[in-house]
Amino acid sequence: MQTINISNLRKDLYKTVENVLNFEPVRVNTKNGNAILMSEEEYRNLEETVYLCSIPKMKESILEASNTPLEECIKEENFEW
């Protein structure tokens, strides 16, 4: 993760935002504390992860599913939504 101070962020805002849009979060140091800049897509992914982890047993279910061999899975074309 890149770290930049607020003064340099002001100078290089466009370049910094372009980097953030390529999934490179940036820590901004200020005299009042630090902030993290990230792309909207990355932020939404983080929100979704936090939501899924808040559902009881969801983490275990995901881990179990990730360990299931592909030949035991239902093919997408045979799955009914």
Side-chain angles (χ1 to χ4, degrees):
M1 177 184 311
Q2 178 187 1
T3 299
I4 191 169
N5 66 41
I6 194 74
S7 297
N8 288 333
L9 176 64
R10 284 188 201 107
K11 290 181 212 172
D12 297 327
L13 183 60
Y14 181 81
K15 178 183 167 192
T16 302
V17 170
E18 287 297 312
N19 288 340
V20 166
L21 292 175
N22 289 317
F23 298 99
E24 296 178 29
V26 174
R27 179 180 24 240
V28 181
N29 294 334
T30 74
K31 64 181 177 183
N32 297 322
N34 299 330
I36 303 294
L37 297 179
M38 64 175 62
S39 70
E40 180 179 3
E41 183 177 354
E42 191 167 358
Y43 176 75
R44 293 195 185 283
N45 290 343
L46 182 60
E47 282 186 313
E48 182 71 12
T49 300
V50 169
Y51 169 73
L52 290 174
C53 287
S54 73
I55 299 171
K57 305 281 185 186
M58 180 59 78
K59 180 180 175 184
E60 292 80 3
S61 176
I62 291 170
L63 288 173
E64 180 183 333
S66 70
N67 291 324
T68 302
L70 284 178
E71 46 282 346
E72 292 181 23
C73 296
I74 298 171
K75 292 186 178 185
E76 185 176 2
E77 60 267 11
N78 297 332
F79 188 80
E80 294 184 32
W81 294 96

